[in-house]
Amino acid sequence: MARTVLQQTPLHACLHPGLSNPSICLACPLSSAPMIVDLLTATTIVLPVSLSDIGNGAAPPSGNKIPDGSAPFSPAIACFSKYGDWVYVGNSKGEILIIDSVSIKIRGIFSIPGSALIKNIAFSRSGQYLLTNSNDRIIRIYENLLPLKGGHEVLDRANQEAIEQDEVQRLKHAGSGALALFREFQDLITKVHWKAPYFSGDGEWVAGGSASKGEHKIYIWDMDRRLAKILEGPKETLLDLAWHPVKPIIASVSMTGIVYLWAKDCTENWSAFAPDFRELEENEEYVEQEVGFDLVPETEKVKELDIYEDRDIDIVTVEEGDSALSDSDMSQEEILLEVSSEDKMSQQQMREIMYSLRFEEGVDSCDNNS
């Protein structure tokens, strides 16, 4: 999309966060002061790194040419605020200069404890916290007290409060109300120097790389200063690292030019869904029992068959019981048949009638007396 050539080797560069079209870039060269580069016109504006660079507060000339380096220079690092209204510049004197990105004027100065050289400076994505890495081996987190957008009124009011003081004191008074120390991170045992510390995407974690030679270690802390994890890589010096804006992924660059991606090893825990589910670390041979999935074991069925195998079934005898539960509408009492003497009926006919009646009652025999 755009390309420009600087006269110095750039160590760090970032685009203006408040523009939809990336046309403004902030570059930090190796041997000169940070500069704002217009990618469309290829013009550059050098930023002041100390109050002495601009005399009484006037902005430096904004020409296309960059100083040839004849003047003494102190290393500096810079970054944009959340919406690009301000540029925060850290210098070798342990000072953070708050510079208006449009007028290129210093509006406030904040001093780091110890006045150690500032090697890194970065904002969290939310713009709420500012991170600095100093030469005293301490990573500091500052709370941003200025509004995310604008904030010129706050600094103007602070300058008016110290109007009777000189220029330096007024700027320091204004800067003291812009930042407040929140956390400090350091290794009290090894006293290691840090490289390229950054916030996580959500601003809840801080990662810093070890600056020791032949060591590729990344330290991760939470915002309560607790060391959560140390990522150990190959025996290669770490140069830079960056945290993914939305995912838990870290990219680190080694001295050999290899980029390593660090991601969380996610393991599935099915026992959270089924408490009786047992997880297996490796394959196990399982022998299913015969009654494993049977509702009624086969052995009980065999026993039940053995019990009734030799029993005689009586289909003739009528069990006495409640007549209401019987399927028959006839009574279980003896059936009587009255035959008058006038009816000329033989014994053979009477016997046939009795047989038929008895058969309906479930009795298959009848004696002659009946």
Side-chain angles (χ1 to χ4, degrees):
M1 294 181 63
R3 178 176 179 267
T4 184
V5 179
L6 303 179
Q7 297 181 7
Q8 293 85 10
T9 301
L11 292 180
H12 175 73
C14 60
L15 295 174
H16 193 291
L19 299 178
S20 58
N21 185 17
S23 59
I24 302 298
C25 177
L26 175 64
C28 299
L30 176 62
S31 58
S32 67
M35 60 188 68
I36 295 180
V37 182
D38 191 335
L39 300 177
L40 299 180
T41 61
T43 58
T44 58
I45 301 176
V46 180
L47 300 176
V49 297
S50 65
L51 190 61
S52 59
D53 293 344
I54 59 174
N56 295 325
S62 57
N64 297 342
K65 298 295 183 179
I66 301 176
D68 55 2
S70 58
F73 167 73
S74 58
I77 194 74
C79 71
F80 278 115
S81 61
K82 179 176 176 59
Y83 294 103
D85 298 330
W86 307 98
V87 178
Y88 287 70
V89 178
N91 59 21
S92 60
K93 300 178 182 179
E95 297 175 340
I96 298 177
L97 278 62
I98 305 175
I99 302 175
D100 192 331
S101 61
V102 177
S103 62
I104 318 298
K105 290 184 178 181
I106 300 177
R107 304 298 298 273
I109 298 176
F110 184 85
S111 298
I112 299 294
S115 301
L117 182 146
I118 300 176
K119 299 187 296 183
N120 300 97
I121 185 170
F123 263 101
S124 62
R125 291 191 66 198
S126 63
Q128 184 180 1
Y129 298 105
L130 176 69
L131 180 148
T132 63
N133 176 29
S134 301
N135 208 28
D136 58 359
R137 310 178 186 184
I138 299 177
I139 299 174
R140 294 178 174 87
I141 306 295
Y142 292 93
E143 185 177 2
N144 182 23
L145 303 180
L146 294 179
L148 296 182
K149 285 189 176 181
H152 298 79
E153 297 81 3
V154 178
L155 296 179
D156 291 340
R157 185 166 55 251
N159 276 278
Q160 291 296 327
E161 294 175 356
I163 191 65
E164 297 179 357
Q165 301 178 1
D166 58 5
E167 181 73 13
V168 176
Q169 295 300 324
R170 287 203 309 270
L171 293 177
K172 288 186 175 181
H173 177 74
S176 62
L179 297 172
L181 182 62
F182 182 71
R183 291 285 187 271
E184 289 184 352
F185 302 90
Q186 60 179 326
D187 193 338
L188 297 176
I189 299 176
T190 61
K191 299 292 184 179
V192 65
H193 283 275
W194 304 110
K195 258 188 182 179
Y198 278 98
F199 287 102
S200 62
D202 56 3
E204 298 295 331
W205 306 88
V206 176
S210 172
S212 302
K213 292 184 178 180
E215 191 175 70
H216 200 99
K217 288 185 178 181
I218 301 175
Y219 294 73
I220 300 177
W221 301 272
D222 59 12
M223 293 301 286
D224 292 330
R225 294 183 296 184
R226 289 191 295 264
L227 182 62
K229 188 71 174 179
I230 299 178
L231 305 178
E232 296 187 13
K235 294 183 179 180
E236 301 173 0
T237 304
L238 186 146
L239 291 181
D240 200 357
L241 64 88
W243 201 307
H244 195 281
V246 295
K247 297 181 179 179
I249 299 176
I250 298 176
S252 62
V253 184
S254 67
M255 181 69 75
T256 59
I258 301 176
V259 179
Y260 296 96
L261 295 180
W262 304 79
K264 185 177 180 180
D265 186 13
C266 299
T267 57
E268 297 180 352
N269 184 12
W270 291 95
S271 59
F273 302 96
D276 56 344
F277 187 87
R278 185 171 67 92
E279 297 182 0
L280 300 179
E281 298 295 337
E282 58 184 6
N283 293 336
E284 295 182 6
E285 184 178 357
Y286 174 73
V287 179
E288 180 185 353
Q289 300 179 3
E290 293 296 334
V291 296
F293 296 96
D294 298 330
L295 298 178
V296 180
E298 294 292 340
T299 54
E300 296 183 2
K301 291 183 178 180
V302 173
K303 291 181 180 179
E304 185 177 355
L305 293 176
D306 294 341
I307 294 175
Y308 298 102
E309 184 175 0
D310 299 332
R311 177 180 294 182
D312 295 331
I313 300 176
D314 184 8
I315 61 173
V316 176
T317 306
V318 178
E319 296 181 358
E320 295 183 0
D322 190 1
S323 60
L325 301 178
S326 176
D327 292 337
S328 176
D329 295 335
M330 302 183 68
S331 175
Q332 300 293 331
E333 298 178 356
E334 184 180 3
I335 300 177
L336 301 179
L337 179 63
E338 295 181 0
V339 180
S340 63
S341 58
E342 298 178 355
D343 295 334
K344 303 297 183 181
M345 184 179 298
S346 64
Q347 292 184 357
Q348 182 66 25
Q349 293 176 339
M350 292 180 62
R351 188 178 292 111
E352 292 176 356
I353 294 175
M354 294 300 295
Y355 271 120
S356 62
L357 294 175
R358 292 283 184 176
F359 183 78
E360 292 179 358
E361 288 295 322
V363 180
D364 61 347
S365 63
C366 180
D367 54 5
N368 293 333
N369 294 331
S370 299

